[in-house]
């Protein structure tokens, strides 16, 4: 038996799963596992599939690594909840830009820009 809950829900398009505290309404990510002592205080729900970029940084790995620079950022979703993840695409990220959460085989999920900037 897998002790960790899935990151993704079964709805289509698939959404990340979080847990909302029943008494306070606070939304957390990832969803609490069912065996957690706190599980009865939370209900699992799907997170919004899109959000606004709050902040980002560009990572410049060593040239010896052969890895190209990439961006990591925080995405604000309704709930409210803030997620950290990798941003995809060749353009420089834009704070306040709209991003969609998509599944990724290497990282679990990534943020993909929705708006094309001139």
């Amino acid at each position: 038996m897998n002790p960790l809950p899935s990151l993704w829900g079964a709805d289509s398009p698939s959404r990340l799963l979080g847990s909302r505290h029943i008494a306070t309404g606070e939304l957390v990510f990832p969803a609490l596992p069912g065996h957690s002592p706190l599980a009865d205080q939370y209900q699992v729900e799907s997170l919004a599939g899109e959000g606004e970029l709050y902040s980002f940084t560009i990572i410049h790995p060593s040239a010896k690594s052969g890895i190209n620079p990439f961006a990591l950022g925080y995405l604000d979703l309704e709930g409210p909840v803030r997620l950290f993840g990798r941003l995809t695409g060749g353009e420089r990220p834009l704070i306040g830009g709209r991003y969609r959460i998509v599944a990724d085989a290497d990282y679990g999920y990534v943020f993909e820009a929705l708006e094309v900037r001139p």
Side-chain angles (χ1 to χ4, degrees):
M1 179 177 143
N2 183 357
L4 298 176
S6 172
L7 285 179
W8 296 94
D11 40 341
S12 182
S14 193
R15 299 271 178 94
L16 290 174
L17 296 176
S19 292
R20 186 173 299 276
H21 192 263
I22 295 167
T24 66
E26 177 186 21
L27 186 59
V28 297
F29 174 81
L32 273 74
H35 66 274
S36 168
L38 300 175
D40 62 344
Q41 297 176 33
Y42 287 83
Q43 61 188 52
V44 175
E45 68 177 61
S46 296
L47 301 180
E50 299 176 5
E52 185 175 296
L53 189 63
Y54 170 76
S55 181
F56 72 92
T57 189
I58 306 292
I59 305 298
H60 296 274
S62 165
K64 292 180 182 180
S65 73
I67 300 172
N68 291 328
F70 59 93
L72 298 173
Y74 285 101
L75 194 68
D76 282 345
L77 305 178
E78 290 178 29
V81 68
R82 183 172 285 160
L83 301 181
F84 181 75
R86 192 169 183 141
L87 291 100
T88 62
E91 295 184 22
R92 183 171 180 84
L94 177 65
I95 291 176
R98 298 288 299 171
Y99 288 77
R100 166 183 29 238
I101 303 168
V102 295
D104 183 86
D106 294 324
Y107 306 108
Y109 62 90
V110 295
F111 308 139
E112 179 181 83
L114 285 176
E115 302 167 354
V116 177
R117 296 178 288 284

